[in-house]
Amino acid sequence: MITESFEFEGIPVNCYRAGGGPALLLLHGSGPGASSVGNWRPVLPALAERFDVYAPDMIGFGKSGRKPAAPYFDYPLWVRQATAMLERIPQKRVGVIAHSLSASIGLTMAADQPRVAGIMTTGAMGAHFKLQPGTSRTWTCPRNREQLVAALSGLIHDTSGIDEAYLQAREQVIFAPGYADYFDEMFGGDQQKYIDDAILSDETLARVQCPVLMLHGREDGSFPPSCSEQIAGKLKRADLMLLSDCSHSVAVERTSTFLALANEFFDGLLNNN
């Protein structure tokens, strides 16, 4: 895996590259210490065996730069960043895998970008739900390892998956100078607003023409499965799978299932590139 960087709207963006062949763009979520490495570490090597993987850190997360001025929660900025990343990929057609908040971002992009051949989501946001205690913990930056484990325990059903490598990947982000304060301001105030800001309109969903595969853990109490169910019901070409013994972090909790479904889904869509 190599690391590339570029500037977007005056902010440096970090992007991981691996593999070759048909292109996949991976968009991570917004939890504590979220980054492409933190989100996709269990599946990146296997995906890179079959695909040309692009995995950027969204602005304000991972090793990408932070916004210089509030508001730091900036949904339109992240949509523009994802679209700019798509434009940097040379292949004619691109598959997208998007987690949590980025599922909404990815579907918004897909509604207007015909180069998106298909999109696979995990733990999607994008429909209304009431803020849960676990959601609030996810959007409050831990200040030590104990608090990080407590926050992640609300996102992972089987906590044995919270190993040392997983913790270290996230600690590199949240313990960076000034980051905890930045993150808490990003999700400050009435956090229901951030759920509502990510809601996809019926008009947006009607413009999504590509196939969509939605995965969601049945035990996800922080970002409930009803979110994916609502979205899938309004898409023209959506399949929805609810996974047992799984909470919010599908790529970590159900790695083999994630990879089998991703390979089957994108092989059929991208093998003519």
Side-chain angles (χ1 to χ4, degrees):
M1 185 168 65
I2 63 172
T3 302
E4 300 176 343
S5 62
F6 64 97
E7 190 171 283
F8 174 73
E9 297 187 7
I11 302 172
V13 170
N14 180 72
C15 181
Y16 299 96
R17 286 283 313 281
L24 286 183
L25 172 61
L26 276 56
L27 303 175
H28 64 74
S30 62
S35 67
S36 278
V37 169
N39 205 145
W40 307 118
R41 179 180 56 85
V43 299
L44 269 172
L47 289 174
E49 292 176 4
R50 305 174 71 132
F51 302 101
D52 189 8
V53 177
Y54 294 76
D57 288 334
M58 304 306 285
I59 289 170
F61 296 93
K63 294 184 178 180
S64 287
R66 307 170 193 171
K67 279 191 70 180
Y72 301 132
F73 185 100
D74 195 333
Y75 184 93
L77 171 69
W78 292 320
V79 173
R80 296 196 304 273
Q81 181 192 353
T83 303
M85 192 66 232
L86 178 70
E87 292 170 351
R88 294 178 64 86
I89 299 174
Q91 287 89 331
K92 183 178 179 181
R93 299 278 278 165
V94 179
V96 176
I97 303 178
H99 177 59
S100 195
L101 174 60
S102 280
S104 175
I105 292 166
L107 286 166
T108 297
M109 178 177 68
D112 297 316
Q113 300 294 328
R115 289 182 62 215
V116 177
I119 179 167
M120 174 176 164
T121 69
T122 58
M125 290 180 60
H128 175 77
F129 66 95
K130 185 177 178 181
L131 181 75
Q132 302 296 307
T135 324
S136 186
R137 282 195 299 272
T138 298
W139 289 340
T140 303
C141 195
R143 303 294 172 134
N144 54 52
R145 176 167 284 199
E146 181 180 6
Q147 292 177 2
L148 175 60
V149 171
L152 294 173
S153 296
L155 302 175
I156 297 177
H157 181 63
D158 180 0
T159 56
S160 64
I162 305 175
D163 59 14
E164 183 65 23
Y166 189 69
L167 290 170
Q168 287 185 8
R170 291 182 175 259
E171 287 175 338
Q172 289 178 15
V173 178
I174 64 173
F175 295 153
Y179 186 77
D181 291 338
Y182 178 93
F183 186 91
D184 283 346
E185 186 169 349
M186 183 189 299
F187 291 103
D190 180 7
Q191 293 177 326
Q192 182 68 43
K193 175 185 185 314
Y194 308 116
I195 296 171
D196 296 342
D197 282 352
I199 292 175
L200 296 157
S201 69
D202 291 353
E203 292 78 10
T204 296
L205 292 172
R207 296 199 312 273
V208 178
Q209 300 298 312
C210 66
V212 180
L213 174 61
M214 307 190 75
L215 310 181
H216 213 120
R218 289 183 181 273
E219 281 70 52
D220 192 346
S222 301
F223 301 88
S226 61
C227 227
S228 288
E229 292 171 338
Q230 292 177 66
I231 296 167
K234 296 178 180 180
L235 289 166
K236 290 184 176 70
R237 305 173 66 187
D239 292 325
L240 169 64
M241 184 174 294
L242 301 181
L243 303 177
S244 62
D245 301 318
C246 183
S247 181
H248 190 59
S249 304
V250 175
V252 174
E253 300 176 83
R254 296 290 299 272
T255 302
S256 60
T257 301
F258 175 102
L259 288 169
L261 292 169
N263 289 336
E264 179 182 5
F265 183 63
F266 290 112
D267 276 346
L269 295 173
L270 300 174
N271 59 12
N272 293 320
N273 269 14

